[in-house]
C-alpha cells in the first residue's frame, strides 16, 4: 500500500496544532481561575442542546474517553454545574442537565475561551485557510458521525 505522505503530514499537523492550541487555552483559563477547559466543553455541548443530553451523547461529543466523561460529569455535578437525571421512560438512560450555576460559569468562561481561540489558533490563519480547514475537517467529522466508523 503506497504511503499517503500529504495525508500523514496533514494528520500530524492537525494533531500538533490542536494539542498546542488546547494546552495554551487551558493554561489561559487556569491562570484566570476559571473552570477547566474540559468542563467548559461539556457545558457548551449541554447548552447547545437545550440544556441536556444523554450521557452517551455527551461522551460522543466531547474529546474524552467514555469512562472519563462519566467521572467528569460526576465531578461537575459535585461542583453544582450539572445534575444527572434518570430517564423516566428508559431506566438505562441518564441525562446530564446544565444547572443555573453551570450556565453562569459557561457565560463567564466564554469570553476567555473565545479569546484563546483567536490568540492561539485563528490569528495564525488567513480567512481562506480557516474556511478550507472548517470545510475539510467538518467533512471528516461528518463521515464518522454519520457512519459511526471510519470509511476506507
Amino acid at each position: 500500500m503506497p504511503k499517503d505522505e500529504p495525508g500523514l503530514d496533514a494528520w500530524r499537523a492537525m494533531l500538533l496544532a490542536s494539542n498546542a492550541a488546547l494546552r495554551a487555552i487551558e493554561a489561559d483559563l487556569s491562570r484566570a481561575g476559571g473552570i477547566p477547559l474540559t468542563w467548559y466543553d461539556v457545558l457548551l455541548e449541554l447548552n447547545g442542546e437545550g440544556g441536556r443530553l444523554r450521557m452517551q451523547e455527551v461522551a460522543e461529543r466531547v474529546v474524552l474517553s467514555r469512562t472519563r466523561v462519566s467521572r467528569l460529569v460526576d465531578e461537575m455535578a459535585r461542583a453544582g454545574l450539572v445534575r444527572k437525571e434518570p430517564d423516566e421512560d428508559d431506566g438505562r438512560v441518564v441525562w446530564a442537565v446544565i444547572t443555573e450555576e453551570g450556565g453562569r460559569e459557561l457565560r463567564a468562561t466564554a469570553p476567555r475561551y473565545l479569546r484563546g481561540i483567536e490568540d492561539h489558533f485563528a490569528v495564525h490563519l488567513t480567512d481562506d485557510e480557516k474556511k478550507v480547514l472548517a470545510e475539510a475537517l467538518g467533512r471528516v467529522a461528518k463521515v464518522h458521525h454519520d457512519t459511526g466508523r471510519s470509511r476506507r
Side-chain angles (χ1 to χ4, degrees), residues 136-152:
L137 295 176
R139 193 169 51 247
V140 172
K142 183 177 182 340
V143 166
H144 290 280
H145 178 267
D146 290 350
T147 64
R149 67 186 189 294
S150 171
R151 280 201 184 166
R152 293 183 185 166

Side-chain angles (χ1 to χ4, degrees), residues 3 11 14 18 45 58 68 70 98 100 103 122 125 132 146:
K3 232 164 117 174
W11 174 252
M14 187 224 26
S18 175
E45 290 298 332
V58 175
R68 178 67 184 125
S70 181
I98 193 170
E100 206 171 294
L125 302 168
V132 168
D146 290 350

Side-chain angles (χ1 to χ4, degrees), residues 7-146:
L8 292 173
D9 290 345
W11 174 252
R12 180 165 168 71
M14 187 224 26
L15 289 176
L16 292 173
S18 175
N19 186 44
L22 286 171
R23 284 178 184 227
I25 293 168
E26 178 72 44
D28 287 353
L29 293 178
S30 179
R31 276 192 297 279
I35 60 174
L37 183 57
T38 51
W39 289 22
Y40 178 81
D41 190 22
V42 170
L43 293 174
L44 187 63
E45 290 298 332
L46 292 174
N47 190 63
E49 292 298 325
R52 70 186 222 154
L53 285 168
R54 290 176 184 89
M55 285 295 295
Q56 179 179 347
E57 293 169 320
V58 175
E60 290 169 358
R61 291 170 180 238
V62 297
V63 187
L64 299 166
S65 72
R66 289 178 188 263
T67 304
R68 178 67 184 125
V69 167
S70 181
R71 281 187 248 140
L72 182 72
V73 172
D74 287 342
E75 292 169 15
M76 295 174 70
R78 284 191 294 277
L81 304 179
V82 299
R83 67 180 178 274
K84 291 169 97 172
E85 295 179 354
D87 188 281
E88 293 178 8
D89 298 323
D90 186 345
R92 298 169 296 174
V93 174
V94 175
W95 292 88
V97 181
I98 193 170
T99 63
E100 206 171 294
E101 177 64 22
R104 281 193 294 274
E105 282 291 339
L106 177 68
R107 289 187 298 279
T109 304
R112 291 187 297 268
Y113 178 66
L114 294 173
R115 189 171 39 255
I117 292 170
E118 180 61 30
D119 293 348
H120 302 295
F121 179 75
V123 72
H124 304 290
L125 302 168
T126 66
D127 287 345
D128 287 342
E129 289 168 331
K130 292 172 198 173
K131 289 175 188 171
V132 168
L133 276 172
E135 181 183 324
L137 295 176
R139 193 169 51 247
V140 172
K142 183 177 182 340
V143 166
H144 290 280
H145 178 267
D146 290 350

